[in-house]
Amino acid sequence: MGQALTGSQAAYRELVRRYQGPVLNLVVQMVRERAEAEDLTQEVFVKAFARLRTFDTTRRFASWVFKIAHNHTIDHLRRLRPETLSLSDGEHPELPAAAMASPQQLVERTMLADDLETAIKRLRVEYREVIQLRYHEDLSVEEIAEVLAVPEGTVKTYLHRARKELAEELVALGWK
């Protein structure tokens, strides 16, 4: 991080390599279109590079770049077309290989993953975003609050409501 702050492009490229995937995942959750998310992610890193001198080294770089990504994507959604978010991009999370899993177990896991992805897509964008940051990027409630610029209580509320809605959706889809 220190070398990137002194202007080392090689060090900054390493930061991009390290955080590009997580930032892209966050942006995809918000815009629901991969190509658009890739463009926005590239713009996020250009902005981050331009603002690198404002980075507070007492904080985590991930939180800082996620906040830039969040704000940039929200601005994009407000400017362009917030009412036309696609809820069906056809992507499914990768399932970890299970040791000695039976074909039935594999089918059930695939079905659950599909239904969970469907349920997540039905959530409000704010709920999808906190789910992504908490469970995919492993950020704490405090870090999510910083990224989203909302109180920690709001993050906790969003997480609670998102989990409740996900549970209700899964029950409606036949899962108990």
Side-chain angles (χ1 to χ4, degrees), residues 92-98 106-114:
H92 301 285
E94 291 294 321
L95 295 174
L106 291 174
V107 168
E108 286 178 12
R109 284 184 184 167
T110 301
M111 289 172 57
L112 177 58
D114 289 345

Side-chain angles (χ1 to χ4, degrees), residues 16-43:
V16 171
R17 185 199 61 75
R18 186 174 185 188
Y19 292 101
Q20 184 173 9
V23 168
L24 177 62
N25 290 336
L26 172 64
V27 176
V28 165
Q29 287 297 318
M30 294 174 72
V31 299
R32 309 307 302 162
E33 294 178 15
R34 181 128 184 131
E36 184 178 14
E38 288 171 353
D39 291 343
L40 289 168
T41 298
Q42 190 172 29
E43 293 168 11

Side-chain angles (χ1 to χ4, degrees), residues 9 16 22 53 63 72 82 95 114 119-120 122 145 156-157 161 166:
Q9 289 187 3
V16 171
R53 300 237 182 253
S63 298
H72 184 68
L95 295 174
D114 289 345
I120 289 172
R122 292 180 180 161
K156 290 176 184 177
T157 299
R161 290 178 181 168
L166 286 174

Side-chain angles (χ1 to χ4, degrees), residues 65-132:
V65 77
F66 284 140
K67 183 170 185 70
I68 293 171
H70 165 79
N71 290 341
H72 184 68
T73 305
I74 291 295
D75 289 346
H76 170 78
L77 291 172
R78 285 181 184 144
R79 268 191 322 271
L80 293 182
R81 48 185 181 71
E83 68 280 354
T84 61
L85 293 177
S86 170
L87 294 179
S88 58
D89 63 6
E91 291 185 20
H92 301 285
E94 291 294 321
L95 295 174
M100 306 293 285
S102 72
Q104 177 66 27
Q105 288 171 321
L106 291 174
V107 168
E108 286 178 12
R109 284 184 184 167
T110 301
M111 289 172 57
L112 177 58
D114 289 345
D115 287 346
L116 183 58
E117 187 65 23
T118 298
I120 289 172
K121 288 176 183 178
R122 292 180 180 161
L123 294 174
R124 291 174 35 185
V125 68
E126 296 89 352
Y127 296 174
R128 285 195 314 260
E129 193 172 19
V130 296
I131 292 293
Q132 175 71 28

